[in-house]
Amino acid sequence: MASNTLTIEEYREVAPKGTVDLLLRLAERVRGRRFLHVNSTRSGGGVAEILNRLVPIMTDLGIKAGWEVIEGDPGFFATTKALHNALQGMEQALTVAMLEHYVDVNRANAERLRPTGDLILVHDPQPAALILARPPEGKWAWRCHIDLSAPQRRVWAFLRRFVERYDAAVFSLPSFAQRLDIPQFLVYPSIDPLAEKNRRMSRQEIQKTLDALRVQSDKPILLQVSRFDRFKDPVGVINAYRIVKRYHDVRLVLAGGGATDDPEGAEVLNEVREVAARDADIYVLDLPADAHLQINALQRAATIVIQKSTREGFGLTVAEAMWKGKPVIGGATGGITAQILYGVTGYTVNSVEGAAYRIRYLLGNPPLIRRMGAAGREHVRRNFLITRHLQDYLSLLVRLTA
Amino acid sequence: MAQPAPFIFFGCIELREILGLRARDERELMEQLERAPLGSVYYHTHSVFLRHHQVTGAYPNDFANWVASQVRDQVLGERLAVVDPFAFGSLEALREELVSIIDHHVATLHPVPRVVFGDPFFFVQSHVIEVPAGLEARTLQEFRRCLAEVDASAIYLHTLESRVWRGQPHGDFAGWVERDLGLPSLAGAIARINPYLGGLEQARTRMLQLLDAALREAEPASGL
């Protein structure tokens, strides 16, 4: 389905009862208002992925929704990458010249784009300094998708002087926010139930996809989907699987990417392959970034989904798995704790042993697996679908432009 | 006889605001609770039902859940959980009760229990935006039909939000049933339904049972 043809009516079947009507009526209050999104890329990454879906639906709802993308040279994007890492706590060296270039590129983009609207939502640090050129009319909000809880202080002090010129900031979790002198709103990210990664699949289609991946489905499948990154603790997942394997004959699938464009990712992948060696029931799949259908099929084929991160952003793979009716066992960190209702849709755990215990517990209780899966799907339906995201953004439009 | 005014159903959407107040131990929780806006007290004790239409955590308010699951202090968790917001005439009185419970509890404890591995408590408040649900009822029969199909946020708005913020001590539903349909006994029964114990869906189910019973009783008469 081409994203620019998306309509709100397509979501009536999957959204909670009454939600689409509520959205249509909410949209009536802001019909014709201009809502402009600005970010740094039109494809790749979670922000572009969701904007590709949100903007057409907003347009369908009668909002004059727009989406602009800033441009920059390699030096600019090297700086914003370092900014991004430093804001998430990694030590980075940012020179005065780099920061000046960041501001200059933002000024040039402001001149080129001349962003105007009733509400301009600027996503993430890359275009944050566009605010320097804001016109007198319209409200500006900064949408921060990253974890700002423990930033490199000097870098945050640099960015903060732009952020505090906005009318509001929006964060994905309260723990990701910083103290600011402007109102801060909470908007969880979301998944799109109609996107390739989450759409309904037939049994045959799932099986065909698993066959293509050479993953056998004759035993219960434990699955973790994530980049090959130490913070996702893939080795910990294998260790938990080995404890479980003493009691239950299961397969483990570790599916992810990030090994091709990230030297550390490649290192972690090699380590995982080494640890998994000679166990035919462990599958380590290094998938390309656009393997949405494969991920969908794996999540649907899994018995239990694991997200045993030791550090995590929001971790939307949890919502993706719950949407497919799977109980999730996740590390007690970041957005995982906001998504898993402990004992209702899954469990949060703090160790390999904790993960192993909960996997065993669930495998020994098939009715509980089904009950938790069903509860998880309903929890996601209400709290983590794109329709709720739309409600939040329209509410922001109502609130800031009333 | 004049036609009763219709009951117009509204749903709602909440926009959540992060207040920048946080607590890592029980004394901080008490101190921040004392200074937090009443909207935040409301958010953590009432609007939890807007996010979870059934009681999904161990306890039905955020303070009790945090103390029990993050601080791992089951005793204070239980003491906070048993506080029934419906028993308080104002949010200020509710806040006072919660603060008193924590104060009394920490007075005997050295050191004060704190989060070691868990998350801090973050104070949030919400801005509720009312949206017409597109449903209206003039008779008890119509009211029953609308109540069965309306978005659960309407149950929240007309039972909880209206009591706390709009001066309707018994909620909008009970008020209309008494005022416009002239059924004080049914209104009283509706007013006594406490969503705090089972969530919005359970409250809806209980209300529908009451309405069905009233409709059965009134079958020979017309107009209901």
Side-chain angles (χ1 to χ4, degrees):
Chain A
M1 180 190 343
S3 61
N4 60 3
T5 61
L6 275 177
T7 67
I8 190 64
E9 285 301 329
E10 292 172 55
Y11 291 86
R12 196 175 281 280
E13 288 295 303
V14 285
K17 195 172 78 175
T19 294
V20 167
D21 292 322
L22 214 58
L23 267 169
L24 288 165
R25 292 194 176 84
L26 180 62
E28 277 171 23
R29 288 178 61 170
V30 285
R31 184 176 297 280
R33 286 193 206 165
R34 295 163 301 154
F35 192 144
L36 179 68
H37 296 268
V38 185
N39 80 326
S40 62
T41 176
R42 209 165 282 279
S43 61
V47 177
E49 200 176 298
I50 201 72
L51 287 180
N52 263 308
R53 316 287 292 187
L54 274 173
V55 172
I57 308 171
M58 284 180 135
T59 304
D60 181 55
L61 283 166
I63 314 296
K64 288 184 178 160
W67 177 13
E68 297 286 2
V69 175
I70 58 163
E71 293 172 353
D73 54 30
F76 172 76
F77 286 112
T79 299
T80 57
K81 172 84 178 162
L83 261 177
H84 182 272
N85 289 340
L87 289 168
Q88 295 197 96
M90 287 167 67
E91 264 315 307
Q92 298 284 316
L94 281 146
T95 64
V96 172
M98 288 166 83
L99 297 178
E100 280 174 356
H101 186 57
Y102 164 82
V103 174
D104 290 343
V105 171
N106 265 281
R107 279 191 201 282
N109 274 290
E111 184 62 30
R112 180 178 64 84
L113 299 172
R114 295 186 183 276
T116 55
D118 295 299
L119 178 60
I120 291 108
L121 195 62
V122 176
H123 296 260
D124 279 334
Q126 297 94 329
L130 286 177
I131 191 75
L132 293 173
R134 73 178 285 179
E137 72 280 359
K139 299 286 183 183
W140 286 56
W142 184 57
R143 175 52 164 128
C144 180
H145 295 271
I146 63 175
D147 179 355
L148 276 189
S149 58
Q152 203 177 311
R153 297 312 306 186
R154 278 186 302 113
V155 174
W156 169 235
F158 167 77
L159 191 72
R160 184 187 184 124
R161 63 191 170 103
F162 306 116
V163 172
E164 291 207 319
R165 290 184 180 214
Y166 283 79
D167 297 294
V170 182
F171 291 92
S172 297
L173 283 175
S175 60
F176 287 3
Q178 278 287 332
R179 279 184 202 279
L180 289 167
D181 290 332
I182 55 174
Q184 300 179 65
F185 295 101
L186 172 63
V187 175
Y188 289 151
S190 63
I191 62 165
D192 185 340
L194 304 184
E196 195 74 342
K197 203 191 281 181
N198 301 304
R199 71 166 170 83
R200 208 176 284 166
M201 292 179 79
S202 67
R203 274 175 199 275
Q204 293 86 336
E205 199 179 3
I206 294 169
Q207 192 54 54
K208 202 174 140 193
T209 313
L210 293 185
D211 290 346
L213 291 169
R214 296 170 193 270
V215 171
Q216 288 180 270
S217 55
D218 54 337
K219 301 174 187 174
I221 291 175
L222 310 176
L223 169 73
Q224 173 156 301
V225 175
S226 63
R227 289 172 64 85
F228 291 101
D229 175 329
R230 287 193 209 289
F231 288 129
K232 313 293 183 190
D233 199 15
V235 173
V237 175
I238 294 175
N239 291 336
Y241 152 85
R242 289 206 162 122
I243 296 173
V244 172
K245 190 77 173 170
R246 293 181 212 149
Y247 307 91
H248 297 275
D249 192 14
V250 292
R251 296 186 190 276
L252 172 66
V253 180
L254 293 167
T260 46
D261 59 350
D262 173 13
E264 198 187 316
E267 199 179 296
V268 175
L269 177 60
N270 286 337
E271 197 180 314
V272 168
R273 283 190 169 137
E274 220 167 90
V275 175
R278 290 184 297 280
D279 187 333
D281 283 339
I282 302 180
Y283 298 84
V284 181
L285 307 176
D286 181 19
L287 300 174
D290 62 352
H292 302 310
L293 200 65
Q294 287 89 332
I295 298 294
N296 189 344
L298 286 168
Q299 287 168 329
R300 287 180 190 279
T303 306
I304 296 167
V305 173
I306 303 159
Q307 187 59 60
K308 210 204 120 354
S309 308
T310 55
R311 187 169 174 186
E312 188 56 80
F314 198 81
L316 271 176
T317 47
V318 171
E320 286 169 15
M322 291 196 298
W323 178 244
K324 284 138 196 157
K326 307 300 169 180
V328 180
I329 294 170
T333 181
I336 296 175
T337 52
Q339 292 174 82
I340 294 177
L341 297 176
Y342 189 91
V344 179
T345 68
Y347 298 99
T348 47
V349 295
N350 301 280
S351 63
V352 166
E353 292 77 7
Y357 171 72
R358 286 304 176 189
I359 295 167
R360 271 186 65 196
Y361 179 69
L362 284 176
L363 288 171
N365 289 277
L368 183 58
I369 290 182
R370 285 192 290 277
R371 225 170 29 245
M372 280 191 163
R377 183 166 165 91
E378 289 315 305
H379 180 48
V380 172
R381 191 192 303 281
R382 195 154 290 284
N383 294 289
F384 300 109
L385 290 191
I386 193 170
T387 41
R388 193 239 69 238
H389 207 157
L390 273 165
Q391 284 183 350
D392 285 347
Y393 278 172
L394 294 191
S395 303
L396 196 65
L397 185 60
V398 170
R399 176 84 191 165
L400 293 178
T401 66
Chain B
M1 189 179 153
Q3 277 277 319
F7 187 92
I8 300 171
F9 286 82
F10 279 79
C12 67
I13 288 167
E14 69 169 356
L15 180 63
R16 288 174 279 182
E17 183 177 357
I18 303 164
L19 294 170
L21 302 173
R22 63 181 67 183
R24 287 201 151 271
D25 67 37
E26 291 176 354
R27 188 178 301 283
E28 273 180 17
L29 179 70
M30 180 182 74
E31 288 166 357
Q32 303 287 32
L33 182 53
E34 278 181 307
R35 75 172 64 120
L38 285 174
S40 185
V41 178
Y42 175 75
Y43 175 88
H44 293 294
T45 53
H46 290 73
S47 75
V48 63
F49 293 115
L50 201 49
R51 299 183 289 288
H52 307 298
H53 296 170
Q54 276 126 10
V55 178
T56 48
Y59 303 123
N61 73 63
D62 291 344
F63 302 117
N65 276 325
W66 180 72
V67 165
S69 68
Q70 303 297 318
V71 183
R72 315 275 166 104
D73 181 346
Q74 299 299 334
V75 175
L76 183 58
E78 289 168 7
R79 286 176 179 162
L80 290 171
V82 83
V83 176
D84 179 359
F86 269 43
F88 295 86
S90 69
L91 286 172
E92 197 55 79
L94 173 60
R95 184 215 307 262
E96 194 48 48
E97 175 68 8
L98 294 168
V99 167
S100 299
I101 289 170
I102 303 171
D103 190 30
H104 184 258
H105 182 77
V106 297
T108 60
L109 297 175
H110 302 285
V112 172
R114 61 180 290 113
V115 164
V116 178
F117 296 110
D119 296 325
F121 187 91
F122 296 96
F123 285 80
V124 171
Q125 71 176 352
S126 60
H127 305 275
V128 168
I129 296 167
E130 295 182 19
V131 186
L135 296 168
E136 64 176 66
R138 287 181 182 276
T139 65
L140 201 59
Q141 186 82 52
E142 287 174 7
F143 184 71
R144 196 251 177 243
R145 181 180 51 76
C146 294
L147 186 65
E149 70 179 70
V150 77
D151 183 72
S153 70
I155 314 274
Y156 172 82
L157 190 79
H158 293 300
T159 58
L160 288 165
E161 185 88 1
S162 62
R163 284 175 201 243
V164 178
W165 295 116
R166 287 194 278 113
Q168 294 286 334
H170 304 301
D172 292 338
F173 292 148
W176 181 75
V177 167
E178 177 163 9
R179 190 181 57 248
D180 291 278
L181 294 186
L183 299 168
S185 161
L186 177 60
I190 290 174
R192 283 191 293 277
I193 295 172
N194 183 346
Y196 200 72
L197 296 174
L200 298 178
E201 288 303 341
Q202 193 170 309
R204 186 203 310 254
T205 304
R206 183 74 194 109
M207 269 188 273
L208 289 173
Q209 287 167 347
L210 289 171
L211 294 172
D212 286 341
L215 285 164
R216 273 196 304 274
E217 265 178 40
E219 241 166 31
S222 61
L224 289 178

